Amino acid sequence: MARRKKIYEGKAKILYEGPEPGTIVQYFKDDATAFNAQKKDVIEGKGVLNNRLSEFFMTGLNNIGVPTHFLKRLNMREQLVRACEIVPLEIIVRNFAAGSLASRLGIEEGTPLPRPIVEYCYKDDKLGDPLVTEEHIAAFGWASQQDMDDILSLALRVNDYLSGLMYGVGIKLVDFKIEIGRVYDGDFQRLIVADEISPDSMRLWDIESGQKLDKDVFRRDLGSLTDAYTEVAKRLGVMPKQATHVAKPKLIN
Ligand code: 5GP
């Protein structure tokens, strides 16, 4: 059998050339990293959960008219996605103060923000993904003004969708990060949600208890990461409620 071509290997995923031109196979690894890869571990089952959860969120977004790169899930760890040119920005949306915003501005974690705040970080691991302003983005040509308008609109639509979805299962969406890709349809360029949407890139707190159900469990040594992600998957109906074996998660097709 011919070996498929690896295009890129990141901290949590590997990208392979897809079966058709313009497609990519995205493989979810079990590797967990934090603090710009200074903290690392392998968490058995994380890749399987994130593959399934990202499929769930991206499918929902596609269905409500928010375009994403997701085409279909191929197996437990892989999904077929549309190839796109990634805009070199991390788009962060915050509903409650936490993480770097809480420490940067001295606001207590959990404080509700007066309105969703959208921040941009320049995607560069060597620099630790620094926070940038729209001035930097325009001056360095990372995205045009039209792109920025579209990115803001996509980010807020994703926020409304995810906040509502999570609220319905007793979870507070504190903040999240998305990435945006450019695709070309003939002469036209469109922006779509790309990369992944999973508890690796969100802060999710149980509404009643405040329990963290996201990657902060790993970052802050708060217990089992797969237990936390499994709880999210169960509440969303992605995994059977009675499932107990979290090391090798049993997922609903
Ligand atoms: P903070 O800036 O507070 O560290 O992160 C804000 C939100 O964006 C959190 O939900 C965090 O998980 C997500 N985020 C920020 N940077 C990254 C990143 O490089 N990778 C991932 N997966 N998520 C990130």
Side-chain angles (χ1 to χ4, degrees), residues 118-135:
V118 182
E119 295 176 341
Y120 306 101
C121 293
Y122 179 52
K123 254 174 76 69
D124 187 320
D125 283 342
K126 287 195 292 300
L127 301 175
D129 302 333
L131 187 68
V132 292
T133 68
E134 292 196 50
E135 274 292 293

Side-chain angles (χ1 to χ4, degrees), residues 90 92 94 98-101 129 175-177 200-203 215 219:
E90 293 193 338
I92 294 173
R94 302 179 184 271
S100 70
L101 176 117
D129 302 333
D175 56 31
F176 65 93
K177 182 262 308 183
D200 266 9
S201 47
M202 296 187 230
R203 284 199 174 91
K215 201 164 134 189
R219 293 188 188 102

Side-chain angles (χ1 to χ4, degrees), residues 72 82 115 137-138 145:
K72 68 172 177 180
R82 235 186 123 164
R115 58 174 203 177
I137 297 168
Q145 188 53 55

